[in-house]
Amino acid sequence: MATFLFDKIIFGPVKSRRLGVSLGINLLPVNVKVCSFDCIYCECGWTPKKYEEKAKLPSRKEVRQKLEKKLKQMVADRELPDVITFAGNGEPTLHHEFAGIIEDTIELRDQFSPNARIAVLSNATMLHKPAVFEALLKIEDNIQKLDSAFESTIKIMDCPRGNFNLEKVVDQLTRFGKKVIIQTMFIKGSFKGQKIDNTTEKEIAAWLELLKKIKPSQVMIYTIARDTPVETLKKAPAQSLNLIAKKVEEAGFEVQISY
Ligand code: SF4
């Protein structure tokens, strides 16, 4: 299906379903996806098995220069973003200068667009790195993926590369002390002959227990909005998302749904 890659380091602003008017920052290469997951629903397509030399990440200096130029232009156009969002062609926290880039972004935001929030969309696989963890504590919207409370489901939906230990990830998410937003993708369908449905009662009950442990400031629930690499996936129905949202609220958390 028609998945796509972002062809720029700074992209947008775009109207985000979840975040408002969002100026995007892609810390990954513009010609290849780089990620520690290979989610079957990823709108960037499959993660390559091997990265070649074309997987060149932008430098901290380059990101700073391009962001400064774009923000100056947005100030001149009186078109400031609601949020500056780290997303793009993979997992932003894999960038070796992630912490420094966050520092620069905070500085530039304060200078040119002080009301804009800074958001990072992450898959929570790099939280064991102290510099990444500390940097995420400095931003407003620290949005971390948790697609299921069952490692077996995560292995089917997110296909982690290398070792993945859900218990450790949950411990790291808990350490944020509420300075974290949990994002969960709900889907139905099948992949390689295996049924996928993380909207079942069993899935939701276990996931709610993890939320109670992590205590996020907000929970974002959403479903497929664009083409995915696997054609046998279906959107979670609005009725299921509404029911899940109700349970999240009853558990005492703020919830945001994107259908
Ligand atoms: S974590 Fe995000 S970028 Fe990586 S494969 Fe999953 S959806 Fe795609």
Side-chain angles (χ1 to χ4, degrees):
M1 293 174 91
T3 53
F4 73 96
L5 291 172
F6 294 91
D7 63 357
K8 292 190 175 69
I9 297 171
I10 308 294
F11 57 93
V14 294
K15 181 86 182 80
S16 156
R17 284 192 298 165
R18 293 189 268 163
L19 301 167
V21 177
S22 167
L23 179 65
I25 304 183
N26 170 35
L27 294 188
L28 292 315
V30 292
N31 55 356
V32 65
K33 179 183 160 193
V34 174
C35 194
S36 44
F37 275 0
D38 197 6
C39 302
I40 57 175
Y41 56 78
C42 183
E43 56 195 45
C44 293
W46 295 116
T47 309
K49 295 265 179 292
K50 280 191 196 152
Y51 301 115
E52 294 159 19
E53 60 286 356
K54 67 177 180 176
K56 187 178 170 291
L57 274 60
S59 69
R60 173 178 175 179
K61 190 174 165 201
E62 199 178 354
V63 176
R64 186 186 172 105
Q65 282 171 345
K66 288 198 162 30
L67 180 61
E68 182 166 1
K69 188 172 171 212
K70 181 70 181 179
L71 284 172
K72 277 182 179 164
Q73 182 206 320
M74 291 179 87
V75 169
D77 295 345
R78 297 174 187 237
E79 185 202 28
L80 293 175
D82 296 321
V83 58
I84 299 169
T85 309
F86 287 82
N89 299 333
E91 172 52 41
T93 62
L94 285 174
H95 196 294
H96 58 288
E97 292 180 292
F98 177 76
I101 292 170
I102 289 290
E103 262 176 46
D104 291 347
T105 305
I106 292 171
E107 205 182 300
L108 292 171
R109 182 273 311 271
D110 291 351
Q111 190 180 348
F112 295 106
S113 185
N115 293 326
R117 303 187 315 278
I118 297 173
V120 173
L121 295 170
S122 170
N123 64 16
T125 55
M126 293 294 127
L127 301 180
H128 58 280
K129 292 191 169 181
V132 169
F133 190 87
E134 293 303 319
L136 289 166
L137 278 173
K138 294 179 186 160
I139 58 157
E140 288 74 29
D141 294 349
N142 169 26
I143 305 172
Q144 300 290 333
K145 185 186 292 296
L146 181 68
D147 282 343
S148 173
F150 297 108
E151 210 167 279
S152 52
T153 306
I154 291 179
K155 284 188 172 156
I156 298 172
M157 281 181 71
D158 302 342
C159 306
R161 290 293 182 82
N163 293 332
F164 178 82
N165 182 316
L166 179 59
E167 206 181 314
K168 280 193 185 151
V169 169
V170 171
D171 279 351
Q172 281 146 1
L173 290 170
T174 307
R175 282 201 301 128
F176 279 120
K178 299 188 184 178
K179 275 212 76 181
V180 64
I181 295 169
I182 295 296
Q183 55 168 345
T184 304
M185 164 68 89
F186 288 101
I187 51 171
K188 287 173 179 267
S190 62
F191 177 53
K192 291 186 177 168
Q194 282 179 293
K195 189 170 172 256
I196 301 159
D197 184 354
N198 64 336
T199 70
T200 62
E201 267 186 43
K202 185 181 164 196
E203 282 280 349
I204 300 306
W207 173 77
L208 283 169
E209 287 310 308
L210 288 193
L211 291 183
K212 285 176 195 165
K213 194 171 169 195
I214 298 165
K215 298 186 176 63
S217 61
Q218 193 189 102
V219 182
M220 292 178 165
I221 64 175
Y222 61 118
T223 189
I224 302 165
R226 300 190 185 94
D227 285 350
T228 59
V230 173
E231 295 188 12
T232 45
L233 300 182
K234 286 185 279 186
K235 280 172 91 81
Q239 203 184 3
S240 298
L241 293 182
N242 289 341
L243 205 66
I244 295 165
K246 191 164 170 269
K247 288 184 181 175
V248 173
E249 275 175 345
E250 282 168 0
F253 302 109
E254 187 186 315
V255 64
Q256 193 192 109
I257 318 178
S258 303
Y259 299 102

